[in-house]
Amino acid sequence: MENVVFGDANKDASYPECVDGLAAYNQQLTQATSKKDKVAQVLKRLHEVEKYLDHSYVEDIALSEEAKADVILSEEHHIRSLATNLEKLQKSTDILSSEHIRAVPSFSSKFQELSQVHIEQQDKMCELTEDTKQLLSYYNTTITLLSKQFVQWDEMVTKLEIAAKPKKPVD
C-alpha cells in the first residue's frame, strides 16, 4: 500500500509509514468502541445505514416503474435538447481536436506576455484617466474664474460708459 501511495520515494526518518499508522488508528478505534455498547451496535448495523443512505434505495421504494416512466416522459424535451447538444458536440470534435486547438498550450508563454502588456496598458490608462480628470478640473476652474472676471469687467465698463455719457439738460 505504501508503494502505491508514495511510489519509489526514498524512505528516511520523515517518511510516513501508512500501514503502521493505520494499524495504530484501528487499534485505538477498536479499544474506544469495545467499551461502548451503543457504538458497537451502530457499527454492526453500518451496512444497513449505508443501504438506506443510497439514493437508489429511496428511488426503489418511492417510485413505481410507472411513476419512473412518467418522470422520464415529463423530461422528454430536456432529454431531447441534451441529445441535440451532444450531437453538436460530437460533430465539433474535429474542430476541437484540430491542430490549431492542440497548439494552444505552446502559445501560453506568448499569452502570458500579452496579458502582462495588457495589465501594464490598463495601469497606464488609469493613470492617464486620472491625469485627464485633473486637467479638466483645472480647465473648468480657470474658465469659471475668467468668466467671473469678464463679468466684473463688463459691469465696470458699463458703469464707466454710463458715467461718461453727457447728460441731457432738462428743459
Side-chain angles (χ1 to χ4, degrees):
M1 183 172 164
E2 291 176 3
N3 286 335
V4 170
V5 173
F6 295 106
D8 295 329
N10 292 334
K11 296 178 180 161
D12 55 6
S14 64
Y15 180 78
E17 295 182 8
C18 295
V19 175
D20 294 340
L22 288 174
Y25 290 131
N26 185 32
Q27 183 180 9
Q28 289 174 355
L29 282 173
T30 304
Q31 288 175 353
T33 58
S34 66
K35 299 173 187 172
K36 312 278 192 235
D37 291 333
K38 294 267 186 190
V39 174
Q41 289 174 0
V42 169
L43 289 176
K44 285 180 185 176
R45 298 186 69 192
L46 189 60
H47 69 282
E48 289 180 43
V49 172
E50 289 175 350
K51 179 178 86 170
Y52 294 137
L53 290 176
D54 187 20
H55 66 87
S56 63
Y57 176 77
V58 174
E59 289 178 2
D60 290 341
I61 291 175
L63 296 175
S64 66
E65 293 298 320
E66 189 173 302
K68 289 179 185 178
D70 288 341
V71 169
I72 291 172
L73 289 175
S74 69
E75 293 292 322
E76 178 183 9
H77 177 70
H78 180 68
I79 292 170
R80 290 190 188 275
S81 69
L82 286 176
T84 304
N85 289 339
L86 183 59
E87 287 174 3
K88 288 179 185 177
L89 184 65
Q90 284 181 325
K91 288 179 183 176
S92 64
T93 55
D94 294 339
I95 296 170
L96 293 174
S97 62
S98 72
E99 192 172 316
H100 300 307
I101 299 295
R102 281 187 266 146
V104 167
S106 66
F107 294 116
S108 64
S109 62
K110 185 71 171 174
F111 289 143
Q112 287 175 348
E113 291 174 18
L114 288 174
S115 64
Q116 184 63 35
V117 168
H118 180 70
I119 290 169
E120 291 170 2
Q121 287 175 346
Q122 281 182 325
D123 291 344
K124 287 179 182 177
M125 185 216 37
C126 288
E127 290 175 15
L128 184 62
T129 301
E130 288 301 316
D131 291 346
T132 304
K133 285 180 182 179
Q134 189 175 12
L135 287 173
L136 282 173
S137 174
Y138 292 153
Y139 172 80
N140 287 336
T141 303
T142 304
I143 293 300
T144 302
L145 291 175
L146 284 174
S147 296
K148 286 180 182 179
Q149 187 63 46
F150 283 137
V151 167
Q152 287 177 354
W153 286 344
D154 185 50
E155 289 173 0
M156 284 175 48
V157 168
T158 303
K159 285 180 186 177
L160 291 173
E161 285 176 346
I162 291 173
K165 270 187 182 178
K167 295 187 179 182
K168 292 183 182 179
V170 179
D171 292 324

